Amino acid sequence: MQPITVAVVEIDQDQHIPVEKFVRQNQTNVELLTDTRSNYGNHVERRFVSRNSVTPVDNAIARIKRLNPRVLLVNANKSIDEYCDLLLALRYQCPDTQAILIIDETMAEENYLLKMLASGARGFISNNLDSLNFSKIVRAVDQGEAWVSRKMTGKIMHEIVSASRCESSGIGFDSPS
Amino acid sequence: MNLQGLVLILLASSSKEILSRWEQGLFGFSPIYSSHSFVSLTEKLVKLKLEVLLLDYELPGLKNQQSILELINLRREIKIVVFSPELPNEIEWKLFKAGVKGCCQNNMQPEQVRRVINAVLQGELWIRRTLTNQILNELIKVTHEKHRIEQAVNDLLENLTRREHEIAMLVGRGESNKKIAQQLVITERTVKAHLTKIFRKLHISDRIKLALIMKDAARST
């Protein structure tokens, strides 16, 4: 069985995701992709950090396209608005890559998460996850499942139901006669 | 929230076996009512301030999603959990879109029933994992459509003159033509003339729609 390729993106984050902690040694079903041709020196993992000449989002998308991971871990320990643009761009430019947010559960706001999921993230996990659960989640998302809490599905469904009630109540424009 | 609190629960099924399992799961908690037909269920929904409804999808008189929509319209805040034999994904999805909070198999064990109730009382959704992907896809679709409408509204609002915009804002705040006229020091007839132009420019036919559009526009800015 081919391993599931995973890459990390982080824009303006104070702390790195401890991906190495998630991916156990000798674990064969998840492969962490890194780009070692970085200008950060040999043998240093190159993450999707920004360069000055292009926007951080364009830069990240270019690198994601090059690595073409099946699963992308988005370091969202700190809430960054650029991630919405990144996720939207990802949907069109790398449709086969599924994004999972890594969040700090003590800090993450529900509305921010909702916005990110509406932009295309396929789920979110806590930054203190153990490696066994990590590989289970990566496999599930890679197979097309979403990874969100029951509480968040309740909130999402509330948005959907409210929107369809608005639609059916006829709020909107009249069709031109 | 835990079931230790006072929660009004209604069990709607004509099957003794199902009712017995539900009752075992909810043993010792809450005032519990039961209905054996759709008619008595609607009567109880109107009379009682119920919070949770466990609904057997095979309840006599219940006609699929349409009946469930009727129940939700009778009591918007009620949390409905549907129990049925295994349903196809698309039916289950329609039930969730109608507003139900959970779908379970009707042979669910009492302990599990208790977990479901606790979850929905905490604002969670009891949904199969295979359907969560559909929820996310729908969220993306709904958000996209919302942005599209907001953009269309903003484009149309830009066609209004400053005076028309002023009047539209006042309609959005619920002001009458008379009040608007007084506030802007113009005649009511002039207000009506402006409103006719506003309705034409926004492709709408009445002030209620205008008020809703202005409220939405204010919320999104």
Side-chain angles (χ1 to χ4, degrees):
Chain A
M1 197 173 77
Q2 288 271 24
I4 300 165
T5 49
V6 175
V8 183
V9 62
E10 41 197 24
I11 297 173
D12 280 348
Q13 296 296 316
D14 299 332
Q15 56 181 115
H16 285 308
I17 301 174
V19 199
E20 304 76 13
K21 185 189 89 179
F22 292 154
V23 185
R24 281 183 303 172
Q25 275 196 330
N26 305 324
Q27 191 173 42
T28 51
N29 60 353
V30 176
E31 183 192 343
L32 181 65
L33 294 179
T34 54
D35 181 352
T36 51
R37 289 171 298 164
S38 149
N39 50 357
Y40 296 103
N42 288 337
H43 311 300
V44 176
E45 180 190 326
R46 176 175 170 179
R47 295 170 189 245
F48 299 128
V49 288
S50 61
R51 285 172 177 167
N52 293 332
S53 52
V54 286
T55 69
V57 172
D58 291 342
N59 189 45
I61 288 289
R63 295 186 185 193
I64 295 164
K65 273 170 124 172
R66 191 166 63 234
L67 290 177
N68 193 26
R70 273 158 64 179
V71 172
L72 180 73
L73 303 177
V74 180
N75 179 351
N77 275 314
K78 202 168 91 183
S79 308
I80 298 290
D81 282 338
E82 279 88 346
Y83 279 152
C84 282
D85 298 334
L86 177 87
L87 291 165
L88 289 170
L90 196 68
R91 264 171 55 207
Y92 294 104
Q93 300 198 44
C94 315
D96 298 328
T97 298
Q98 311 297 327
I100 305 175
L101 308 172
I102 312 268
I103 58 159
D104 178 345
E105 274 183 319
T106 57
M107 308 275 283
E109 281 179 27
E110 272 190 351
N111 284 340
Y112 177 72
L113 289 178
L114 195 64
K115 204 168 146 192
M116 298 285 271
L117 294 168
S119 303
R122 303 316 288 177
F124 56 89
I125 55 179
S126 161
N127 57 7
N128 53 29
L129 199 76
D130 64 59
S131 64
L132 195 68
N133 278 326
F134 173 75
S135 83
K136 185 175 137 194
I137 294 166
V138 165
R139 267 201 313 275
V141 171
D142 182 60
Q143 281 164 16
E145 277 185 36
W147 201 270
V148 283
S149 62
R150 282 194 194 279
K151 189 151 193 199
M152 188 50 90
T153 54
K155 203 170 163 65
I156 297 171
M157 208 60 216
H158 178 75
E159 291 281 312
I160 295 169
V161 171
S162 309
S164 58
R165 277 186 190 152
C166 268
E167 227 171 73
S168 58
S169 67
I171 298 167
F173 305 110
D174 297 329
S175 24
S177 47
Chain B
M1 195 176 184
N2 192 287
L3 279 179
Q4 307 286 347
L6 199 68
V7 182
L8 267 64
I9 300 177
L10 176 61
L11 313 179
S13 175
S14 62
S15 156
K16 281 184 182 165
E17 202 190 325
I18 292 176
L19 282 171
S20 154
R21 265 201 302 271
W22 290 349
E23 279 162 3
Q24 279 178 53
L26 302 171
F27 181 73
F29 295 101
S30 305
I32 295 172
Y33 302 87
S34 55
S35 288
H36 308 293
S37 72
F38 187 71
V39 178
S40 83
L41 164 60
T42 51
E43 284 167 3
K44 286 206 170 97
L45 266 192
V46 174
K47 278 188 206 154
L48 303 165
K49 283 200 167 179
L50 296 159
E51 286 165 75
V52 180
L53 166 64
L54 302 194
L55 179 63
D56 182 356
Y57 200 57
E58 292 171 336
L59 182 76
L62 188 130
K63 294 177 199 130
N64 56 47
Q65 303 98 279
Q66 192 49 43
S67 304
I68 290 172
L69 271 176
E70 282 170 34
L71 297 175
I72 289 169
N73 285 332
L74 281 176
R75 194 165 286 285
R76 288 256 159 167
E77 63 278 19
I78 195 160
K79 298 177 190 305
I80 301 179
V81 182
V82 173
F83 288 76
S84 63
E86 196 167 345
L87 292 172
N89 273 359
E90 57 274 21
I91 303 277
E92 250 186 58
W93 177 241
K94 279 184 185 165
L95 292 174
F96 280 109
K97 274 193 89 175
V100 309
K101 301 297 178 196
C103 280
C104 310
Q105 293 218 19
N106 53 11
N107 57 1
M108 184 180 258
Q109 292 309 301
E111 319 79 69
Q112 190 73 349
V113 172
R114 181 185 290 261
R115 282 186 58 201
V116 175
I117 307 295
N118 270 327
V120 297
L121 282 172
Q122 284 168 21
E124 297 178 5
L125 212 59
W126 198 271
I127 190 166
R128 272 189 283 148
R129 193 154 275 289
T130 47
L131 274 177
T132 52
N133 203 35
Q134 201 155 344
I135 292 190
L136 286 191
N137 292 341
E138 190 73 14
L139 175 70
I140 291 171
K141 211 169 94 185
V142 163
T143 310
H144 180 77
E145 183 63 7
K146 201 168 133 192
H147 289 163
R148 196 188 62 78
I149 291 170
E150 275 170 14
Q151 187 57 49
V153 169
N154 288 339
D155 289 350
L156 288 172
L157 289 178
E158 275 180 18
N159 291 333
L160 301 183
T161 63
R162 219 178 91 188
R163 188 55 120 188
E164 286 165 354
H165 200 269
E166 237 170 350
I167 290 171
M169 294 267 284
L170 290 168
V171 170
R173 285 185 212 147
E175 304 287 15
S176 65
N177 285 358
K178 195 175 172 183
K179 278 268 170 68
I180 295 172
Q182 282 169 354
Q183 211 167 320
L184 301 179
V185 203
I186 53 176
T187 65
E188 256 188 89
R189 208 173 149 179
T190 310
V191 175
K192 280 182 190 164
H194 278 305
L195 280 174
T196 307
K197 282 186 190 164
I198 294 169
F199 293 162
R200 203 187 57 230
K201 286 183 180 178
L202 297 183
H203 309 301
I204 54 174
S205 54
D206 57 65
R207 65 190 300 130
I208 296 172
K209 282 189 176 169
L210 176 60
L212 291 169
I213 286 171
M214 296 311 291
K215 276 189 178 159
D216 278 349
R219 220 178 291 141
S220 63
T221 49

PDB file of all heavy atoms in Angstrom, chain A residues 46-57:
ATOM      1  N   ARG A  46      12.370  22.065   5.142  1.00  0.00           N
ATOM      2  CA  ARG A  46      11.863  23.328   4.618  1.00  0.00           C
ATOM      3  C   ARG A  46      10.344  23.294   4.658  1.00  0.00           C
ATOM      4  O   ARG A  46       9.718  22.473   4.047  1.00  0.00           O
ATOM      5  CB  ARG A  46      12.348  23.486   3.187  1.00  0.00           C
ATOM      6  CG  ARG A  46      11.799  24.713   2.496  1.00  0.00           C
ATOM      7  CD  ARG A  46      12.449  24.826   1.148  1.00  0.00           C
ATOM      8  NE  ARG A  46      11.795  25.830   0.358  1.00  0.00           N
ATOM      9  CZ  ARG A  46      12.177  26.131  -0.850  1.00  0.00           C
ATOM     10  NH1 ARG A  46      13.203  25.495  -1.393  1.00  0.00           N
ATOM     11  NH2 ARG A  46      11.548  27.040  -1.539  1.00  0.00           N
ATOM     12  N   ARG A  47       9.820  24.156   5.395  1.00  0.00           N
ATOM     13  CA  ARG A  47       8.373  24.227   5.485  1.00  0.00           C
ATOM     14  C   ARG A  47       7.883  25.336   4.572  1.00  0.00           C
ATOM     15  O   ARG A  47       8.662  26.067   3.978  1.00  0.00           O
ATOM     16  CB  ARG A  47       7.951  24.509   6.923  1.00  0.00           C
ATOM     17  CG  ARG A  47       8.319  23.385   7.855  1.00  0.00           C
ATOM     18  CD  ARG A  47       8.120  23.802   9.294  1.00  0.00           C
ATOM     19  NE  ARG A  47       8.688  22.785  10.157  1.00  0.00           N
ATOM     20  CZ  ARG A  47       7.984  22.030  10.983  1.00  0.00           C
ATOM     21  NH1 ARG A  47       6.693  22.151  11.053  1.00  0.00           N
ATOM     22  NH2 ARG A  47       8.570  21.154  11.755  1.00  0.00           N
ATOM     23  N   PHE A  48       6.587  25.469   4.486  1.00  0.00           N
ATOM     24  CA  PHE A  48       6.025  26.461   3.576  1.00  0.00           C
ATOM     25  C   PHE A  48       6.028  27.845   4.234  1.00  0.00           C
ATOM     26  O   PHE A  48       4.996  28.398   4.542  1.00  0.00           O
ATOM     27  CB  PHE A  48       4.610  26.080   3.176  1.00  0.00           C
ATOM     28  CG  PHE A  48       4.538  24.772   2.474  1.00  0.00           C
ATOM     29  CD1 PHE A  48       3.660  23.801   2.925  1.00  0.00           C
ATOM     30  CD2 PHE A  48       5.321  24.500   1.374  1.00  0.00           C
ATOM     31  CE1 PHE A  48       3.573  22.582   2.276  1.00  0.00           C
ATOM     32  CE2 PHE A  48       5.245  23.294   0.737  1.00  0.00           C
ATOM     33  CZ  PHE A  48       4.378  22.312   1.187  1.00  0.00           C
ATOM     34  N   VAL A  49       7.219  28.348   4.471  1.00  0.00           N
ATOM     35  CA  VAL A  49       7.295  29.692   5.038  1.00  0.00           C
ATOM     36  C   VAL A  49       7.454  30.684   3.889  1.00  0.00           C
ATOM     37  O   VAL A  49       7.870  30.317   2.792  1.00  0.00           O
ATOM     38  CB  VAL A  49       8.483  29.830   6.023  1.00  0.00           C
ATOM     39  CG1 VAL A  49       8.201  29.073   7.285  1.00  0.00           C
ATOM     40  CG2 VAL A  49       9.759  29.369   5.392  1.00  0.00           C
ATOM     41  N   SER A  50       7.120  31.951   4.132  1.00  0.00           N
ATOM     42  CA  SER A  50       7.039  32.886   3.016  1.00  0.00           C
ATOM     43  C   SER A  50       8.378  33.474   2.587  1.00  0.00           C
ATOM     44  O   SER A  50       9.303  33.581   3.359  1.00  0.00           O
ATOM     45  CB  SER A  50       6.100  34.011   3.394  1.00  0.00           C
ATOM     46  OG  SER A  50       6.617  34.681   4.512  1.00  0.00           O
ATOM     47  N   ARG A  51       8.409  33.860   1.288  1.00  0.00           N
ATOM     48  CA  ARG A  51       9.542  34.631   0.783  1.00  0.00           C
ATOM     49  C   ARG A  51       9.035  36.055   0.603  1.00  0.00           C
ATOM     50  O   ARG A  51       7.833  36.288   0.562  1.00  0.00           O
ATOM     51  CB  ARG A  51       9.955  34.077  -0.576  1.00  0.00           C
ATOM     52  CG  ARG A  51      10.690  32.767  -0.502  1.00  0.00           C
ATOM     53  CD  ARG A  51      10.864  32.262  -1.898  1.00  0.00           C
ATOM     54  NE  ARG A  51      11.618  31.026  -1.928  1.00  0.00           N
ATOM     55  CZ  ARG A  51      11.677  30.269  -3.003  1.00  0.00           C
ATOM     56  NH1 ARG A  51      11.045  30.606  -4.118  1.00  0.00           N
ATOM     57  NH2 ARG A  51      12.395  29.162  -2.994  1.00  0.00           N
ATOM     58  N   ASN A  52       9.953  36.981   0.414  1.00  0.00           N
ATOM     59  CA  ASN A  52       9.524  38.379   0.350  1.00  0.00           C
ATOM     60  C   ASN A  52       8.882  38.759  -0.968  1.00  0.00           C
ATOM     61  O   ASN A  52       8.000  39.589  -1.023  1.00  0.00           O
ATOM     62  CB  ASN A  52      10.724  39.291   0.620  1.00  0.00           C
ATOM     63  CG  ASN A  52      11.188  39.124   2.050  1.00  0.00           C
ATOM     64  OD1 ASN A  52      10.382  38.781   2.915  1.00  0.00           O
ATOM     65  ND2 ASN A  52      12.462  39.342   2.293  1.00  0.00           N
ATOM     66  N   SER A  53       9.343  38.180  -2.085  1.00  0.00           N
ATOM     67  CA  SER A  53       8.929  38.662  -3.403  1.00  0.00           C
ATOM     68  C   SER A  53       7.488  38.300  -3.775  1.00  0.00           C
ATOM     69  O   SER A  53       6.884  38.960  -4.600  1.00  0.00           O
ATOM     70  CB  SER A  53       9.883  38.136  -4.457  1.00  0.00           C
ATOM     71  OG  SER A  53       9.997  36.748  -4.301  1.00  0.00           O
ATOM     72  N   VAL A  54       6.947  37.267  -3.198  1.00  0.00           N
ATOM     73  CA  VAL A  54       5.568  36.873  -3.507  1.00  0.00           C
ATOM     74  C   VAL A  54       4.748  36.831  -2.213  1.00  0.00           C
ATOM     75  O   VAL A  54       5.315  36.819  -1.135  1.00  0.00           O
ATOM     76  CB  VAL A  54       5.511  35.469  -4.168  1.00  0.00           C
ATOM     77  CG1 VAL A  54       5.975  35.495  -5.587  1.00  0.00           C
ATOM     78  CG2 VAL A  54       6.272  34.458  -3.351  1.00  0.00           C
ATOM     79  N   THR A  55       3.434  36.810  -2.386  1.00  0.00           N
ATOM     80  CA  THR A  55       2.619  36.772  -1.158  1.00  0.00           C
ATOM     81  C   THR A  55       2.819  35.411  -0.483  1.00  0.00           C
ATOM     82  O   THR A  55       3.106  34.413  -1.172  1.00  0.00           O
ATOM     83  CB  THR A  55       1.122  36.951  -1.451  1.00  0.00           C
ATOM     84  OG1 THR A  55       0.664  35.791  -2.140  1.00  0.00           O
ATOM     85  CG2 THR A  55       0.849  38.212  -2.246  1.00  0.00           C
ATOM     86  N   PRO A  56       2.645  35.359   0.817  1.00  0.00           N
ATOM     87  CA  PRO A  56       2.820  34.078   1.513  1.00  0.00           C
ATOM     88  C   PRO A  56       1.907  32.991   0.953  1.00  0.00           C
ATOM     89  O   PRO A  56       2.293  31.825   0.872  1.00  0.00           O
ATOM     90  CB  PRO A  56       2.449  34.402   2.958  1.00  0.00           C
ATOM     91  CG  PRO A  56       2.603  35.863   3.100  1.00  0.00           C
ATOM     92  CD  PRO A  56       2.344  36.467   1.747  1.00  0.00           C
ATOM     93  N   VAL A  57       0.693  33.395   0.545  1.00  0.00           N
ATOM     94  CA  VAL A  57      -0.259  32.405   0.027  1.00  0.00           C
ATOM     95  C   VAL A  57       0.222  31.856  -1.317  1.00  0.00           C
ATOM     96  O   VAL A  57       0.251  30.639  -1.528  1.00  0.00           O
ATOM     97  CB  VAL A  57      -1.675  33.028  -0.099  1.00  0.00           C
ATOM     98  CG1 VAL A  57      -2.619  32.083  -0.821  1.00  0.00           C
ATOM     99  CG2 VAL A  57      -2.223  33.363   1.282  1.00  0.00           C
TER     100      VAL A  57
END
